[in-house]
PDB file of all heavy atoms in Angstrom:
ATOM      1  N   PRO M 239     108.070 108.027 115.638  1.00  0.00           N
ATOM      2  CA  PRO M 239     108.918 109.211 115.646  1.00  0.00           C
ATOM      3  C   PRO M 239     110.212 108.981 114.870  1.00  0.00           C
ATOM      4  O   PRO M 239     110.812 107.898 114.982  1.00  0.00           O
ATOM      5  CB  PRO M 239     109.225 109.445 117.136  1.00  0.00           C
ATOM      6  CG  PRO M 239     108.314 108.553 117.891  1.00  0.00           C
ATOM      7  CD  PRO M 239     107.748 107.532 116.969  1.00  0.00           C
ATOM      8  N   SER M 240     110.633 109.978 114.110  1.00  0.00           N
ATOM      9  CA  SER M 240     111.850 109.915 113.284  1.00  0.00           C
ATOM     10  C   SER M 240     111.884 108.697 112.362  1.00  0.00           C
ATOM     11  O   SER M 240     112.974 108.221 112.019  1.00  0.00           O
ATOM     12  CB  SER M 240     113.123 109.908 114.154  1.00  0.00           C
ATOM     13  OG  SER M 240     113.007 110.800 115.207  1.00  0.00           O
ATOM     14  N   ASN M 241     110.733 108.174 112.003  1.00  0.00           N
ATOM     15  CA  ASN M 241     110.648 107.008 111.103  1.00  0.00           C
ATOM     16  C   ASN M 241     111.391 105.789 111.629  1.00  0.00           C
ATOM     17  O   ASN M 241     111.908 104.992 110.845  1.00  0.00           O
ATOM     18  CB  ASN M 241     111.193 107.314 109.704  1.00  0.00           C
ATOM     19  CG  ASN M 241     110.359 108.339 108.977  1.00  0.00           C
ATOM     20  OD1 ASN M 241     109.278 108.690 109.434  1.00  0.00           O
ATOM     21  ND2 ASN M 241     110.864 108.813 107.866  1.00  0.00           N
ATOM     22  N   ARG M 242     111.470 105.658 112.954  1.00  0.00           N
ATOM     23  CA  ARG M 242     112.132 104.443 113.475  1.00  0.00           C
ATOM     24  C   ARG M 242     111.285 103.218 113.108  1.00  0.00           C
ATOM     25  O   ARG M 242     110.134 103.335 112.720  1.00  0.00           O
ATOM     26  CB  ARG M 242     112.320 104.546 114.995  1.00  0.00           C
ATOM     27  CG  ARG M 242     111.030 104.579 115.780  1.00  0.00           C
ATOM     28  CD  ARG M 242     111.230 104.114 117.208  1.00  0.00           C
ATOM     29  NE  ARG M 242     110.080 104.398 118.035  1.00  0.00           N
ATOM     30  CZ  ARG M 242     108.937 103.737 117.973  1.00  0.00           C
ATOM     31  NH1 ARG M 242     108.763 102.755 117.110  1.00  0.00           N
ATOM     32  NH2 ARG M 242     107.937 104.049 118.781  1.00  0.00           N
ATOM     33  N   ASN M 243     111.910 102.045 113.236  1.00  0.00           N
ATOM     34  CA  ASN M 243     111.188 100.813 112.905  1.00  0.00           C
ATOM     35  C   ASN M 243     110.014 100.602 113.867  1.00  0.00           C
ATOM     36  O   ASN M 243     110.108 100.971 115.046  1.00  0.00           O
ATOM     37  CB  ASN M 243     112.127  99.608 113.005  1.00  0.00           C
ATOM     38  CG  ASN M 243     113.147  99.590 111.890  1.00  0.00           C
ATOM     39  OD1 ASN M 243     112.918 100.153 110.815  1.00  0.00           O
ATOM     40  ND2 ASN M 243     114.275  98.965 112.136  1.00  0.00           N
ATOM     41  N   PRO M 244     108.944  99.975 113.384  1.00  0.00           N
ATOM     42  CA  PRO M 244     107.832  99.655 114.286  1.00  0.00           C
ATOM     43  C   PRO M 244     108.287  98.710 115.391  1.00  0.00           C
ATOM     44  O   PRO M 244     109.125  97.836 115.157  1.00  0.00           O
ATOM     45  CB  PRO M 244     106.833  98.928 113.376  1.00  0.00           C
ATOM     46  CG  PRO M 244     107.199  99.294 111.995  1.00  0.00           C
ATOM     47  CD  PRO M 244     108.676  99.559 112.000  1.00  0.00           C
ATOM     48  N   LYS M 245     107.750  98.894 116.608  1.00  0.00           N
ATOM     49  CA  LYS M 245     108.060  97.972 117.704  1.00  0.00           C
ATOM     50  C   LYS M 245     107.054  96.826 117.662  1.00  0.00           C
ATOM     51  O   LYS M 245     105.912  97.008 117.233  1.00  0.00           O
ATOM     52  CB  LYS M 245     107.936  98.683 119.048  1.00  0.00           C
ATOM     53  CG  LYS M 245     108.977  99.752 119.266  1.00  0.00           C
ATOM     54  CD  LYS M 245     108.818 100.368 120.654  1.00  0.00           C
ATOM     55  CE  LYS M 245     109.854 101.449 120.885  1.00  0.00           C
ATOM     56  NZ  LYS M 245     109.545 102.298 122.035  1.00  0.00           N
ATOM     57  N   THR M 246     107.523  95.658 118.179  1.00  0.00           N
ATOM     58  CA  THR M 246     106.653  94.478 118.158  1.00  0.00           C
ATOM     59  C   THR M 246     105.306  94.769 118.810  1.00  0.00           C
ATOM     60  O   THR M 246     104.254  94.384 118.308  1.00  0.00           O
ATOM     61  CB  THR M 246     107.340  93.304 118.896  1.00  0.00           C
ATOM     62  OG1 THR M 246     108.636  93.177 118.341  1.00  0.00           O
ATOM     63  CG2 THR M 246     106.587  92.016 118.738  1.00  0.00           C
ATOM     64  N   GLU M 247     105.338  95.475 119.953  1.00  0.00           N
ATOM     65  CA  GLU M 247     104.052  95.695 120.649  1.00  0.00           C
ATOM     66  C   GLU M 247     103.163  96.670 119.878  1.00  0.00           C
ATOM     67  O   GLU M 247     101.938  96.556 119.913  1.00  0.00           O
ATOM     68  CB  GLU M 247     104.249  96.118 122.111  1.00  0.00           C
ATOM     69  CG  GLU M 247     104.750  97.532 122.330  1.00  0.00           C
ATOM     70  CD  GLU M 247     106.257  97.563 122.612  1.00  0.00           C
ATOM     71  OE1 GLU M 247     106.960  96.634 122.154  1.00  0.00           O
ATOM     72  OE2 GLU M 247     106.724  98.520 123.266  1.00  0.00           O
ATOM     73  N   GLU M 248     103.777  97.591 119.134  1.00  0.00           N
ATOM     74  CA  GLU M 248     102.958  98.504 118.315  1.00  0.00           C
ATOM     75  C   GLU M 248     102.263  97.722 117.200  1.00  0.00           C
ATOM     76  O   GLU M 248     101.090  97.955 116.891  1.00  0.00           O
ATOM     77  CB  GLU M 248     103.839  99.612 117.725  1.00  0.00           C
ATOM     78  CG  GLU M 248     104.348 100.590 118.765  1.00  0.00           C
ATOM     79  CD  GLU M 248     105.536 101.436 118.288  1.00  0.00           C
ATOM     80  OE1 GLU M 248     106.088 101.180 117.192  1.00  0.00           O
ATOM     81  OE2 GLU M 248     105.924 102.348 119.043  1.00  0.00           O
ATOM     82  N   ILE M 249     102.998  96.790 116.607  1.00  0.00           N
ATOM     83  CA  ILE M 249     102.411  95.963 115.550  1.00  0.00           C
ATOM     84  C   ILE M 249     101.254  95.138 116.124  1.00  0.00           C
ATOM     85  O   ILE M 249     100.168  95.069 115.555  1.00  0.00           O
ATOM     86  CB  ILE M 249     103.493  95.057 114.901  1.00  0.00           C
ATOM     87  CG1 ILE M 249     104.522  95.932 114.177  1.00  0.00           C
ATOM     88  CG2 ILE M 249     102.873  94.054 113.942  1.00  0.00           C
ATOM     89  CD1 ILE M 249     105.688  95.191 113.541  1.00  0.00           C
ATOM     90  N   GLU M 250     101.486  94.554 117.300  1.00  0.00           N
ATOM     91  CA  GLU M 250     100.431  93.741 117.934  1.00  0.00           C
ATOM     92  C   GLU M 250      99.175  94.552 118.214  1.00  0.00           C
ATOM     93  O   GLU M 250      98.061  94.112 117.990  1.00  0.00           O
ATOM     94  CB  GLU M 250     100.944  93.188 119.272  1.00  0.00           C
ATOM     95  CG  GLU M 250     101.417  91.765 119.165  1.00  0.00           C
ATOM     96  CD  GLU M 250     102.213  91.361 120.395  1.00  0.00           C
ATOM     97  OE1 GLU M 250     101.866  91.805 121.521  1.00  0.00           O
ATOM     98  OE2 GLU M 250     103.191  90.620 120.215  1.00  0.00           O
ATOM     99  N   ILE M 251      99.394  95.772 118.704  1.00  0.00           N
ATOM    100  CA  ILE M 251      98.255  96.613 119.093  1.00  0.00           C
ATOM    101  C   ILE M 251      97.514  97.143 117.870  1.00  0.00           C
ATOM    102  O   ILE M 251      96.288  97.225 117.851  1.00  0.00           O
ATOM    103  CB  ILE M 251      98.758  97.799 119.973  1.00  0.00           C
ATOM    104  CG1 ILE M 251      99.213  97.274 121.343  1.00  0.00           C
ATOM    105  CG2 ILE M 251      97.685  98.869 120.135  1.00  0.00           C
ATOM    106  CD1 ILE M 251      99.982  98.293 122.177  1.00  0.00           C
ATOM    107  N   CYS M 252      98.242  97.492 116.831  1.00  0.00           N
ATOM    108  CA  CYS M 252      97.640  98.200 115.699  1.00  0.00           C
ATOM    109  C   CYS M 252      97.027  97.276 114.637  1.00  0.00           C
ATOM    110  O   CYS M 252      96.086  97.671 113.942  1.00  0.00           O
ATOM    111  CB  CYS M 252      98.702  99.091 115.045  1.00  0.00           C
ATOM    112  SG  CYS M 252      98.026 100.418 114.041  1.00  0.00           S
ATOM    113  N   THR M 253      97.561  96.067 114.496  1.00  0.00           N
ATOM    114  CA  THR M 253      97.156  95.268 113.332  1.00  0.00           C
ATOM    115  C   THR M 253      95.718  94.733 113.337  1.00  0.00           C
ATOM    116  O   THR M 253      95.235  94.370 112.258  1.00  0.00           O
ATOM    117  CB  THR M 253      98.165  94.127 113.071  1.00  0.00           C
ATOM    118  OG1 THR M 253      98.491  93.506 114.311  1.00  0.00           O
ATOM    119  CG2 THR M 253      99.409  94.652 112.414  1.00  0.00           C
ATOM    120  N   PRO M 254      95.016  94.700 114.477  1.00  0.00           N
ATOM    121  CA  PRO M 254      93.585  94.364 114.349  1.00  0.00           C
ATOM    122  C   PRO M 254      92.849  95.334 113.409  1.00  0.00           C
ATOM    123  O   PRO M 254      91.885  94.936 112.749  1.00  0.00           O
ATOM    124  CB  PRO M 254      93.067  94.476 115.789  1.00  0.00           C
ATOM    125  CG  PRO M 254      94.265  94.137 116.625  1.00  0.00           C
ATOM    126  CD  PRO M 254      95.439  94.742 115.889  1.00  0.00           C
ATOM    127  N   TYR M 255      93.315  96.575 113.301  1.00  0.00           N
ATOM    128  CA  TYR M 255      92.688  97.524 112.362  1.00  0.00           C
ATOM    129  C   TYR M 255      92.911  97.065 110.920  1.00  0.00           C
ATOM    130  O   TYR M 255      92.001  97.091 110.102  1.00  0.00           O
ATOM    131  CB  TYR M 255      93.258  98.943 112.537  1.00  0.00           C
ATOM    132  CG  TYR M 255      92.980  99.549 113.891  1.00  0.00           C
ATOM    133  CD1 TYR M 255      93.997 100.178 114.627  1.00  0.00           C
ATOM    134  CD2 TYR M 255      91.706  99.526 114.437  1.00  0.00           C
ATOM    135  CE1 TYR M 255      93.742 100.743 115.870  1.00  0.00           C
ATOM    136  CE2 TYR M 255      91.448 100.080 115.690  1.00  0.00           C
ATOM    137  CZ  TYR M 255      92.476 100.685 116.398  1.00  0.00           C
ATOM    138  OH  TYR M 255      92.221 101.247 117.618  1.00  0.00           O
ATOM    139  N   LEU M 256      94.132  96.639 110.634  1.00  0.00           N
ATOM    140  CA  LEU M 256      94.446  96.136 109.291  1.00  0.00           C
ATOM    141  C   LEU M 256      93.626  94.872 108.990  1.00  0.00           C
ATOM    142  O   LEU M 256      93.071  94.717 107.898  1.00  0.00           O
ATOM    143  CB  LEU M 256      95.948  95.839 109.196  1.00  0.00           C
ATOM    144  CG  LEU M 256      96.413  95.126 107.935  1.00  0.00           C
ATOM    145  CD1 LEU M 256      96.231  96.009 106.708  1.00  0.00           C
ATOM    146  CD2 LEU M 256      97.888  94.715 108.070  1.00  0.00           C
ATOM    147  N   GLU M 257      93.543  94.002 109.977  1.00  0.00           N
ATOM    148  CA  GLU M 257      92.787  92.759 109.780  1.00  0.00           C
ATOM    149  C   GLU M 257      91.324  93.071 109.467  1.00  0.00           C
ATOM    150  O   GLU M 257      90.703  92.437 108.620  1.00  0.00           O
ATOM    151  CB  GLU M 257      92.901  91.867 111.022  1.00  0.00           C
ATOM    152  CG  GLU M 257      94.291  91.283 111.174  1.00  0.00           C
ATOM    153  CD  GLU M 257      94.557  90.697 112.555  1.00  0.00           C
ATOM    154  OE1 GLU M 257      93.601  90.480 113.334  1.00  0.00           O
ATOM    155  OE2 GLU M 257      95.740  90.468 112.866  1.00  0.00           O
ATOM    156  N   LYS M 258      90.788  94.076 110.163  1.00  0.00           N
ATOM    157  CA  LYS M 258      89.394  94.478 109.913  1.00  0.00           C
ATOM    158  C   LYS M 258      89.255  95.062 108.499  1.00  0.00           C
ATOM    159  O   LYS M 258      88.274  94.772 107.794  1.00  0.00           O
ATOM    160  CB  LYS M 258      88.981  95.511 110.977  1.00  0.00           C
ATOM    161  CG  LYS M 258      87.524  95.875 110.971  1.00  0.00           C
ATOM    162  CD  LYS M 258      86.670  94.773 111.576  1.00  0.00           C
ATOM    163  CE  LYS M 258      85.194  95.032 111.314  1.00  0.00           C
ATOM    164  NZ  LYS M 258      84.354  93.902 111.692  1.00  0.00           N
ATOM    165  N   GLN M 259      90.225  95.851 108.082  1.00  0.00           N
ATOM    166  CA  GLN M 259      90.180  96.404 106.726  1.00  0.00           C
ATOM    167  C   GLN M 259      90.133  95.274 105.693  1.00  0.00           C
ATOM    168  O   GLN M 259      89.353  95.313 104.745  1.00  0.00           O
ATOM    169  CB  GLN M 259      91.400  97.312 106.473  1.00  0.00           C
ATOM    170  CG  GLN M 259      91.317  98.628 107.228  1.00  0.00           C
ATOM    171  CD  GLN M 259      92.603  99.446 107.134  1.00  0.00           C
ATOM    172  OE1 GLN M 259      93.692  98.937 107.366  1.00  0.00           O
ATOM    173  NE2 GLN M 259      92.466 100.733 106.827  1.00  0.00           N
ATOM    174  N   ILE M 260      90.973  94.265 105.915  1.00  0.00           N
ATOM    175  CA  ILE M 260      91.034  93.137 104.982  1.00  0.00           C
ATOM    176  C   ILE M 260      89.703  92.372 104.989  1.00  0.00           C
ATOM    177  O   ILE M 260      89.186  91.980 103.952  1.00  0.00           O
ATOM    178  CB  ILE M 260      92.227  92.217 105.335  1.00  0.00           C
ATOM    179  CG1 ILE M 260      93.543  92.956 105.063  1.00  0.00           C
ATOM    180  CG2 ILE M 260      92.169  90.892 104.576  1.00  0.00           C
ATOM    181  CD1 ILE M 260      94.787  92.268 105.616  1.00  0.00           C
ATOM    182  N   GLU M 261      89.138  92.216 106.201  1.00  0.00           N
ATOM    183  CA  GLU M 261      87.862  91.503 106.341  1.00  0.00           C
ATOM    184  C   GLU M 261      86.733  92.236 105.586  1.00  0.00           C
ATOM    185  O   GLU M 261      85.883  91.611 104.960  1.00  0.00           O
ATOM    186  CB  GLU M 261      87.558  91.447 107.836  1.00  0.00           C
ATOM    187  CG  GLU M 261      86.502  90.488 108.257  1.00  0.00           C
ATOM    188  CD  GLU M 261      86.250  90.677 109.760  1.00  0.00           C
ATOM    189  OE1 GLU M 261      87.224  90.639 110.551  1.00  0.00           O
ATOM    190  OE2 GLU M 261      85.069  90.901 110.125  1.00  0.00           O
ATOM    191  N   ILE M 262      86.741  93.550 105.646  1.00  0.00           N
ATOM    192  CA  ILE M 262      85.667  94.320 104.982  1.00  0.00           C
ATOM    193  C   ILE M 262      85.884  94.335 103.463  1.00  0.00           C
ATOM    194  O   ILE M 262      84.961  94.126 102.685  1.00  0.00           O
ATOM    195  CB  ILE M 262      85.609  95.780 105.502  1.00  0.00           C
ATOM    196  CG1 ILE M 262      85.335  95.818 107.015  1.00  0.00           C
ATOM    197  CG2 ILE M 262      84.525  96.563 104.758  1.00  0.00           C
ATOM    198  CD1 ILE M 262      85.461  97.218 107.636  1.00  0.00           C
ATOM    199  N   ILE M 263      87.111  94.566 103.043  1.00  0.00           N
ATOM    200  CA  ILE M 263      87.389  94.727 101.603  1.00  0.00           C
ATOM    201  C   ILE M 263      87.300  93.383 100.862  1.00  0.00           C
ATOM    202  O   ILE M 263      86.841  93.329  99.736  1.00  0.00           O
ATOM    203  CB  ILE M 263      88.779  95.377 101.384  1.00  0.00           C
ATOM    204  CG1 ILE M 263      88.780  96.805 101.954  1.00  0.00           C
ATOM    205  CG2 ILE M 263      89.156  95.412  99.906  1.00  0.00           C
ATOM    206  CD1 ILE M 263      90.148  97.477 101.983  1.00  0.00           C
ATOM    207  N   LYS M 264      87.715  92.321 101.536  1.00  0.00           N
ATOM    208  CA  LYS M 264      87.757  90.985 100.899  1.00  0.00           C
ATOM    209  C   LYS M 264      88.530  91.002  99.574  1.00  0.00           C
ATOM    210  O   LYS M 264      87.976  90.689  98.511  1.00  0.00           O
ATOM    211  CB  LYS M 264      86.346  90.443 100.660  1.00  0.00           C
ATOM    212  CG  LYS M 264      85.548  90.249 101.922  1.00  0.00           C
ATOM    213  CD  LYS M 264      84.214  89.587 101.618  1.00  0.00           C
ATOM    214  CE  LYS M 264      83.421  89.317 102.877  1.00  0.00           C
ATOM    215  NZ  LYS M 264      83.212  90.485 103.728  1.00  0.00           N
ATOM    216  N   PRO M 265      89.811  91.361  99.632  1.00  0.00           N
ATOM    217  CA  PRO M 265      90.597  91.424  98.386  1.00  0.00           C
ATOM    218  C   PRO M 265      90.913  90.028  97.852  1.00  0.00           C
ATOM    219  O   PRO M 265      90.762  89.028  98.569  1.00  0.00           O
ATOM    220  CB  PRO M 265      91.892  92.114  98.839  1.00  0.00           C
ATOM    221  CG  PRO M 265      92.045  91.702 100.266  1.00  0.00           C
ATOM    222  CD  PRO M 265      90.646  91.624 100.821  1.00  0.00           C
ATOM    223  N   LYS M 266      91.345  89.991  96.608  1.00  0.00           N
ATOM    224  CA  LYS M 266      91.829  88.732  96.019  1.00  0.00           C
ATOM    225  C   LYS M 266      93.336  88.590  96.234  1.00  0.00           C
ATOM    226  O   LYS M 266      93.882  87.488  96.207  1.00  0.00           O
ATOM    227  CB  LYS M 266      91.552  88.713  94.507  1.00  0.00           C
ATOM    228  CG  LYS M 266      90.098  88.613  94.171  1.00  0.00           C
ATOM    229  CD  LYS M 266      89.627  87.153  94.308  1.00  0.00           C
ATOM    230  CE  LYS M 266      88.119  87.060  94.415  1.00  0.00           C
ATOM    231  NZ  LYS M 266      87.665  86.270  95.561  1.00  0.00           N
ATOM    232  N   VAL M 267      93.997  89.738  96.391  1.00  0.00           N
ATOM    233  CA  VAL M 267      95.460  89.738  96.533  1.00  0.00           C
ATOM    234  C   VAL M 267      95.859  90.738  97.626  1.00  0.00           C
ATOM    235  O   VAL M 267      95.338  91.847  97.661  1.00  0.00           O
ATOM    236  CB  VAL M 267      96.151  90.242  95.236  1.00  0.00           C
ATOM    237  CG1 VAL M 267      97.663  90.084  95.336  1.00  0.00           C
ATOM    238  CG2 VAL M 267      95.620  89.546  94.012  1.00  0.00           C
ATOM    239  N   ILE M 268      96.770  90.327  98.474  1.00  0.00           N
ATOM    240  CA  ILE M 268      97.410  91.294  99.366  1.00  0.00           C
ATOM    241  C   ILE M 268      98.863  91.398  98.938  1.00  0.00           C
ATOM    242  O   ILE M 268      99.603  90.400  98.953  1.00  0.00           O
ATOM    243  CB  ILE M 268      97.316  90.885 100.842  1.00  0.00           C
ATOM    244  CG1 ILE M 268      95.845  90.764 101.257  1.00  0.00           C
ATOM    245  CG2 ILE M 268      98.034  91.914 101.730  1.00  0.00           C
ATOM    246  CD1 ILE M 268      95.643  90.365 102.701  1.00  0.00           C
ATOM    247  N   CYS M 269      99.258  92.579  98.531  1.00  0.00           N
ATOM    248  CA  CYS M 269     100.654  92.831  98.172  1.00  0.00           C
ATOM    249  C   CYS M 269     101.330  93.463  99.372  1.00  0.00           C
ATOM    250  O   CYS M 269     100.960  94.558  99.800  1.00  0.00           O
ATOM    251  CB  CYS M 269     100.745  93.799  96.994  1.00  0.00           C
ATOM    252  SG  CYS M 269     100.117  93.095  95.488  1.00  0.00           S
ATOM    253  N   THR M 270     102.297  92.765  99.911  1.00  0.00           N
ATOM    254  CA  THR M 270     103.007  93.281 101.073  1.00  0.00           C
ATOM    255  C   THR M 270     104.251  94.024 100.578  1.00  0.00           C
ATOM    256  O   THR M 270     104.993  93.511  99.734  1.00  0.00           O
ATOM    257  CB  THR M 270     103.399  92.123 102.002  1.00  0.00           C
ATOM    258  OG1 THR M 270     104.149  91.158 101.255  1.00  0.00           O
ATOM    259  CG2 THR M 270     102.170  91.442 102.562  1.00  0.00           C
ATOM    260  N   LEU M 271     104.435  95.224 101.074  1.00  0.00           N
ATOM    261  CA  LEU M 271     105.530  96.065 100.590  1.00  0.00           C
ATOM    262  C   LEU M 271     106.660  96.071 101.613  1.00  0.00           C
ATOM    263  O   LEU M 271     106.554  96.696 102.670  1.00  0.00           O
ATOM    264  CB  LEU M 271     105.018  97.490 100.332  1.00  0.00           C
ATOM    265  CG  LEU M 271     103.854  97.597  99.326  1.00  0.00           C
ATOM    266  CD1 LEU M 271     103.307  99.026  99.280  1.00  0.00           C
ATOM    267  CD2 LEU M 271     104.291  97.151  97.943  1.00  0.00           C
TER     268      LEU M 271
END
Side-chain angles (χ1 to χ4, degrees):
S240 319
N241 294 350
R242 65 157 168 74
N243 289 335
K245 293 182 180 165
T246 309
E247 73 260 27
E248 291 163 352
I249 295 177
E250 261 166 36
I251 290 168
C252 200
T253 44
Y255 297 133
L256 172 66
E257 289 165 15
K258 188 75 191 171
Q259 288 172 311
I260 292 169
E261 195 185 308
I262 300 172
I263 295 171
K264 298 185 177 54
K266 291 280 162 232
V267 187
I268 300 180
C269 293
T270 55
L271 302 173

